[in-house]
Amino acid sequence: MRMLRAELLKIRRRWASYIVLLLLISFMALVYVLVGFSIHRGGGTSTAILEFPSTYAVIDQFAFGLLGSLLAVAYAGAIAGADWNWGVFRLVVARGESRGGYIVAKFAAIAIALFIGVLIVFLAGIALTFVAGALAGVDVGDPLSSVRGNDLFRSIYLGYPVLLERAAIGFAVAVLMRSQVAGIVVGIVLYIGEGILGLLLTAITVVNSIDGQPTATGVQWFQFLPFSIGNEVLAHASRLPGEDLASNLQTAVGLETAIIAVAIYLVLAVGVAVVSVERSQISS
Amino acid sequence: MTVTVPAPTSTPASPPTSDLAVAAHGVVMRYGSRVALQGLDLAVPRGVVYGFLGPNGAGKTTLMRILVGLIRPNAGSVELFGRAYSWRDRRRLFSVGSLIEQPSFYPYLSGRDNLRVIGATGGPTSARRIDEVLGFVGLTDRKSDKLKTYSLGMKQRLGIAMALLSDPELLLLDEPANGLDPAGTVAMRELLRFLTSQGKTVLVSSHILPEVQQLADVIGIIDRGRLIREGSLKRLLEEAALLRVRIAPNDAEHALTVLAPFSPQLEAPAYGEREDGWIVVRVPPDRAGEVNRLLAQNDIFASGLESTSDLESVFLSLTAPGAGASGPTAAGPAWVQAPPSGSR
């Protein structure tokens, strides 16, 4: 516990924790304000985005979608890699601390920070919905009605493990590469690379199966790749009308299966980080 | 600087079974094809300051890394406080403090918070102890300032404070005087002296030889991954002592004959230079009178008599290319002698 408290202190005092959150909320604010103005000027934008519960799907996209996931990968990579960059891990080992225990405590602290971050993003999203709704002159409804409340909690309890799994991958990469920058860059490249690979493989599968006629092709192996499987869970958490092409062309992986796969990747990523430090020779 | 060290908060898991705090036996360490340690033997007695000397790349830091479980040797064994130690015995490091290479910190935290987060790892550390070690190194006034505002010397002092956090029985310090101003160096020396007076052991590696000469009780010199000398500093300096006797040109030949029993391989003095006429005799300083008397009895009157003995000249002669067994002294009974086996 004392190690977890120390890790939380480090996270609390680190600017990166606030910059990541600020960046995400700023983008979200920009989108909501622009949508609000657009509707106000009669720009033809759907008002659903500013109404509960459908607005949760938008907040979901910010918290757990591309931007949220990228920031989570980068943030976890930055926190994990810093110990190597500043040589602190060496000091911790020399003090007789358990290498694996230290890594697990560090990830647990990141998990707590991400959970608090998600809650703040959702609260900010709800506030921004009201602001944008007022700008647009739209009645946003009641975010706390029981049915709508369930949508909110469902978004969080399905989305948060996905975010954590993605952060764990960034974390593991940084630990393996013993570098903050490498952890951030490689984590992001993996995330984007897998997205592009998924799209290409989807397109190839569709073309091969029905002569280019877009239709669902059944569950494919690449839907189980580490980042793609998270998208499967998120698709169950909330769905915006007209989501990405790949989602429309693929048969969705069952929610239970997807969650189990996400959990496996999460444990695997942290496990790889632990095993790598347990075995490593720390010569610099 | 007033130093008060409280009773130890952690002790080795079992009572000591040896007078040695650290013992290394035939330790071999390779980094790829490069051999950093080639069968290193070392014996650090308890309760002393052990000066660990060697040229750059000799393997000093490598041994320290092995002692704190950062790396695992390819061969050989290490004992801490008389018991075999392996990198898996991490809890035994609760009684070891270390500052290896440069000190490591979180630059965005204050000095005190750095100690708090590091103190949360390894053996238990109380808040009182954190304030105590900050006092030891004279950083109480700056404890709330962020690390990035610290000077190099202040960071070094905080690194020493970190090493002292667990009130260790054994302190491993790699170049601890780096960046310290003269007052800081003196304070560090006093602190280390105080720690040894409390029965603690300090293994200190340094390139600042005059500093080590003032600080260490026992010296170990390594070169190319092997120990070439180990023993008490006093004994080493005595054995390495030189007496320079200045003789007039017409007495030189006779003087060489008279002094031959003291030092069998005397060289004839050079003349015609500014510092001319000196014969170098290898005898301890306390035998200078004896040498002078013998010369006088033979009607040779020295115009100058100088005794020199410093660690720097000893170190340089031992670690110079081709040195080793042919160094300034023959190994006496208290010394371990392991001449280097050729080039790396």
Side-chain angles (χ1 to χ4, degrees):
Chain A
M1 275 310 284
R2 65 194 176 113
M3 234 173 1
L4 182 62
R5 276 202 301 272
E7 289 302 318
L8 287 171
L9 170 71
K10 286 189 246 176
I11 282 177
R12 220 171 58 226
R13 296 281 165 85
R14 192 144 178 211
W15 274 106
S17 307
Y18 304 98
I19 290 170
V20 163
L21 203 56
L22 196 68
L23 202 64
L24 194 63
I25 293 173
S26 300
F27 272 110
M28 195 162 61
L30 187 67
V31 168
Y32 269 95
V33 168
L34 288 176
V35 167
F37 273 121
S38 174
I39 294 172
H40 177 70
R41 293 185 176 184
T45 310
S46 165
T47 57
I49 190 173
L50 299 184
E51 292 167 2
F52 294 102
S54 50
T55 190
Y56 289 134
V58 180
I59 303 171
D60 245 16
Q61 286 299 309
F62 277 102
F64 309 124
L66 176 69
L67 187 59
S69 295
L70 279 178
L71 289 174
V73 168
Y75 179 68
I79 298 290
D83 272 15
W84 294 97
N85 277 46
W86 293 326
V88 180
F89 188 69
R90 186 183 61 207
L91 184 62
V92 166
V93 172
R95 284 181 54 79
E97 186 51 67
S98 153
R99 297 176 178 209
Y102 180 73
I103 291 293
V104 169
K106 183 167 282 294
F107 187 72
I110 291 174
I112 292 170
L114 285 178
F115 186 72
I116 294 169
V118 165
L119 293 183
I120 293 172
V121 168
F122 268 83
L123 287 174
I126 292 168
L128 285 168
T129 304
F130 279 105
V131 171
L135 280 173
V138 171
D139 177 19
V140 297
D142 177 12
L144 296 177
S145 69
S146 62
V147 176
R148 290 163 187 169
N150 279 342
D151 288 331
L152 169 64
F153 297 130
R154 184 177 165 80
S155 292
I156 292 175
Y157 76 67
L158 288 179
Y160 174 66
V162 173
L163 196 68
L164 206 54
E165 178 235 13
R166 291 171 174 177
I169 293 170
F171 182 85
V173 169
V175 172
L176 281 173
M177 303 193 80
R178 301 182 180 191
S179 158
Q180 201 170 4
V181 176
I184 296 169
V185 172
V186 174
I188 290 174
V189 166
L190 280 178
Y191 181 78
I192 294 173
E194 194 194 297
I196 294 169
L197 182 72
L199 275 175
L200 285 173
L201 290 172
T202 304
I204 291 166
T205 311
V206 169
V207 169
N208 286 347
S209 61
I210 41 96
D211 299 327
Q213 203 61 29
T215 183
T217 57
V219 174
Q220 301 294 318
W221 65 267
F222 49 81
Q223 288 174 260
F224 287 92
L225 287 172
F227 292 109
S228 306
I229 196 67
N231 290 338
E232 297 291 335
V233 175
L234 293 178
H236 286 281
S238 66
R239 185 176 284 274
L240 275 175
E243 227 183 318
D244 64 280
L245 179 65
S247 302
N248 289 332
L249 293 177
Q250 288 164 351
T251 303
V253 177
L255 178 60
E256 238 175 64
T257 310
I259 286 179
I260 290 169
V262 163
I264 289 172
Y265 277 123
L266 170 60
V267 172
L268 205 64
V270 178
V272 164
V274 167
V275 170
S276 78
V277 296
E278 286 288 355
R279 298 175 59 87
S280 63
Q281 297 268 55
I282 305 166
S283 55
S284 59
Chain B
M1 180 169 67
T2 308
V3 178
T4 49
V5 177
T9 54
S10 58
T11 52
S14 65
T17 57
S18 159
D19 290 336
L20 296 180
V22 178
H25 308 288
V27 175
V28 175
M29 184 70 213
R30 296 185 201 94
Y31 295 113
S33 60
R34 191 174 72 82
V35 182
L37 296 178
Q38 39 182 331
L40 180 76
D41 295 302
L42 192 82
V44 180
R46 283 171 182 255
V48 301
V49 176
Y50 184 104
F52 193 34
L53 309 176
N56 288 335
K60 304 184 295 294
T61 304
T62 296
L63 180 72
M64 288 201 174
R65 286 181 189 143
I66 290 171
L67 292 177
V68 294
L70 292 174
I71 54 176
R72 300 181 287 281
N74 299 104
S77 62
V78 169
E79 288 173 21
L80 288 181
F81 304 108
R83 286 173 54 213
Y85 164 78
S86 96
W87 68 285
R88 290 187 185 279
D89 304 332
R90 63 174 183 85
R91 285 177 182 274
R92 294 183 61 198
L93 296 177
F94 290 2
S95 57
V96 178
S98 62
L99 170 60
I100 298 177
E101 296 163 283
Q102 73 278 21
S104 309
F105 307 107
Y106 293 101
Y108 59 91
L109 292 180
S110 68
R112 192 174 190 284
D113 280 344
N114 264 288
L115 293 182
R116 272 176 72 193
V117 298
I118 293 302
T121 63
T125 306
S126 66
R128 198 176 122 256
R129 178 67 183 168
I130 290 171
D131 291 327
E132 215 166 38
V133 294
L134 280 166
F136 288 170
V137 296
L139 283 177
T140 305
D141 293 344
R142 297 289 305 270
K143 66 179 179 185
S144 302
D145 294 347
K146 287 211 165 37
L147 228 291
K148 58 189 173 194
T149 67
Y150 279 26
S151 68
L152 181 65
M154 289 167 71
K155 286 177 183 166
Q156 193 70 13
R157 281 192 273 159
L158 194 66
I160 294 170
M162 273 187 185
L164 292 171
L165 262 182
S166 57
D167 196 8
E169 290 299 305
L170 170 65
L171 198 56
L172 307 174
L173 301 174
D174 193 5
E175 302 289 348
N178 264 0
L180 293 184
D181 57 23
T185 307
V186 171
M188 182 199 67
R189 195 188 307 146
E190 285 175 2
L191 178 61
L192 298 187
R193 275 271 158 241
F194 176 79
L195 292 173
T196 52
S197 76
Q198 302 294 301
K200 298 176 190 303
T201 308
V202 181
L203 172 62
V204 56
S205 100
S206 178
H207 288 118
I208 307 172
L209 299 178
E211 180 57 36
V212 175
Q213 190 168 345
Q214 289 188 64
L215 188 65
D217 306 298
V218 182
I219 296 285
I221 301 178
I222 69 166
D223 191 21
R224 299 167 205 132
R226 280 177 186 249
L227 189 78
I228 52 174
R229 276 288 196 278
E230 186 178 67
S232 82
L233 175 68
K234 187 169 176 286
R235 178 80 183 270
L236 176 60
L237 292 176
E238 276 176 8
E239 290 183 356
L242 302 176
L243 187 69
R244 282 154 44 92
V245 187
R246 195 170 203 178
I247 302 292
N250 52 348
D251 288 333
E253 203 171 321
H254 188 198
L256 287 173
T257 313
V258 169
L259 294 174
F262 287 101
S263 202
Q265 294 174 335
L266 289 179
E267 286 183 18
Y271 291 96
E273 296 171 11
R274 193 166 62 86
E275 285 290 317
D276 57 4
W278 291 100
I279 297 174
V280 178
V281 189
R282 292 192 192 287
V283 293
D286 56 4
R287 295 187 66 190
E290 200 182 325
V291 170
N292 200 21
R293 193 183 320 117
L294 188 66
L295 288 170
Q297 282 168 357
N298 287 278
D299 295 326
I300 304 167
F301 298 98
S303 61
L305 209 61
E306 280 181 9
S307 179
T308 61
S309 176
D310 67 273
L311 190 56
E312 194 169 76
S313 58
V314 174
F315 176 81
L316 289 174
S317 61
L318 281 171
T319 58
S326 59
T329 63
W335 294 79
V336 175
Q337 187 175 20
S341 61
S343 58
R344 247 184 303 194

